[in-house]
């Protein structure tokens, strides 16, 4: 075998280093390069070391498509995210990337937005040959779930309750909302507004229902309901509508079913010359880092995001290894974080 030059020349600019590139540089067959990089002991230790050194110098990495063809697995996990207008999904993605890297998984963001998953997104899940999929916000139509199941692509939903052909990890939304209602009532609040989401998401519905059921159980009137559209702008508009009410009709407490909407409410109240908690308490749900900023000082229920992502990846990995495992739904309780906005 030829000795390697002191410094292997790089491939032409714009060209990716391949097994063929390595074989030409070192003067052996491509199959020898492939076996050596896989640690095949039929190749001498000296040759394996020389090939490994050359591969490192030229920045060679195995091509994902080649791995897929040889193993039947791409090593990719598809991610379908909620709308980027809600910072919660940014936090969720960061946590998923961090934990996936520790498990040797690679994430591929296929969709980011509100609403039901589209057929094109379902097609992409199959075209990219993902081994599994995390879905964080969207509804999963039955035919899409069936397509994924038929093609052996396990799905785990995060921050949503599973409905068809998949597992799920969610926060205990009803319990957290009841905690918020009980906190506000204990502080003497009696007139409530609820800033809800107009979507059909299970998360928003559960938080809405948990809060209203708690008020009813304590013999209180149902809240005034406003649509916050799951955005800061929607929460701001709801806050403007509350501020425009005659003082005797204004609520003395507002529950927005997400932090981003609660922050919009607080901003609108401040612009109208009102303040939380002086004029009314404001609480949210999610535990966004921004909720702790002095500008908001928001009382909220913090979702156990690291634990949720960890359980979701564990469920996904188990089903990638054994497609016959039954679906599971895991519900984890959040943490009530009491700050100044609730009084």
């Amino acid at each position: 075998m030829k000795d390697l030059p002191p410094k292997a020349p790089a491939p032409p600019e714009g060209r990716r280093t391949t097994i063929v590139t390595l074989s030409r540089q070192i003067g052996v067959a491509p199959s020898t390069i492939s076996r050596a990089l896989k640690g095949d002991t039929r190749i001498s230790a000296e040759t394996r070391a020389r090939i490994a050194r050359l591969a490192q110098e030229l920045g060679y990495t195995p091509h994902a498509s080649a791995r897929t063809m040889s193993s039947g697995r791409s090593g990719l996990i598809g991610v379908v995210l909620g709308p980027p207008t809600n910072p919660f999904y940014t936090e969720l993605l960061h946590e998923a990337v961090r934990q996936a890297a520790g498990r040797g998984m690679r994430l591929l963001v296929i969709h980011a937005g509100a609403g039901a998953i589209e057929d094109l997104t379902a097609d992409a899940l199959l075209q990219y040959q993902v081994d599994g999929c995390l879905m964080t916000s969207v509804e999963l139509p039955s035919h899409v779930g069936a397509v994924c199941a038929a093609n052996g692509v396990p799905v785990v939903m995060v921050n949503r309750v599973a409905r068809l052909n998949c597992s799920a990890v969610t926060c205990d939304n009803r319990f957290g909302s009841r905690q918020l209602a009980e906190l506000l009532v204990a502080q003497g609040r009696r007139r409530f507004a609820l800033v809800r989401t107009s979507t059909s998401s299970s998360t928003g519905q559960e938080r809405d229902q948990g809060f209203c059921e708690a008020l009813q159980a304590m013999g209180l009137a149902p809240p005034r309901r406003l649509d916050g559209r799951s955005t800061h702008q929607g929460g701001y508009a709801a806050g403007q509508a509350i501020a425009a009410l005659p003082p005797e009709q204004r609520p003395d407490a507002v529950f927005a079913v997400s932090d981003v909407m609660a922050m919009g409410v607080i901003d609108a109240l401040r612009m109208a010359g009102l303040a939380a908690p002086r004029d009314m308490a404001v609480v949210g749900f999610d535990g966004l880092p921004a909720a702790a900023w002095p500008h908001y000082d928001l009382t909220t229920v913090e979702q156990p995001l690291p634990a949720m992502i960890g359980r979701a990846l564990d469920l996904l990995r188990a089903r990638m290894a054994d497609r016959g495992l039954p679906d599971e739904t895991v519900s984890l309780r959040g943490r009530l974080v009491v700050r100044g906005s609730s009084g």
Side-chain angles (χ1 to χ4, degrees), residues 147-322:
V147 167
C148 290
N151 285 271
V153 179
V155 174
V156 176
M157 302 196 82
V158 184
N159 192 43
R160 288 291 182 271
V161 172
R163 292 184 175 164
L164 293 169
N165 296 309
C166 65
S167 296
V169 180
T170 184
C171 182
D172 190 337
N173 294 299
R174 280 192 171 85
F175 180 80
S177 296
R178 288 198 301 271
Q179 283 185 302
L180 290 168
E182 291 166 357
L183 171 70
L184 293 171
V185 171
Q187 292 175 339
R189 311 291 179 171
R190 294 296 182 270
R191 299 189 313 277
F192 299 90
L194 189 148
V195 181
R196 62 184 179 85
T197 173
S198 55
T199 69
S200 60
S201 76
S202 60
T203 298
Q205 291 175 355
E206 289 176 348
R207 294 175 186 178
D208 184 325
Q209 293 164 2
F211 191 80
C212 293
E213 288 166 358
L215 294 184
Q216 183 179 22
M218 290 183 283
L220 296 170
R224 178 187 294 267
R225 303 167 70 80
L226 302 99
D227 183 5
R229 305 192 302 275
S230 297
T231 64
H232 179 276
Q233 293 90 337
Y236 190 92
Q240 287 179 311
I242 291 170
L245 293 170
E248 67 275 9
Q249 295 181 23
R250 287 179 194 150
D252 58 14
V254 180
F255 169 45
V257 300
S258 69
D259 282 354
V260 69
M261 291 192 293
M263 291 187 285
V265 170
I266 289 174
D267 287 337
L269 294 178
R270 184 174 288 112
M271 291 299 293
L274 303 174
R278 184 192 68 206
D279 298 293
M280 65 190 74
V282 179
V283 299
F285 202 121
D286 277 335
L288 292 179
W293 294 355
H295 181 73
Y296 298 113
D297 199 24
L298 181 65
T299 291
T300 184
V301 172
E302 181 181 73
Q303 295 207 64
L305 196 52
M308 289 167 64
I309 293 296
R311 292 295 295 273
L313 291 174
D314 288 343
L315 288 174
L316 196 57
R317 169 171 276 176
R319 280 148 187 79
M320 286 159 49
D322 182 355

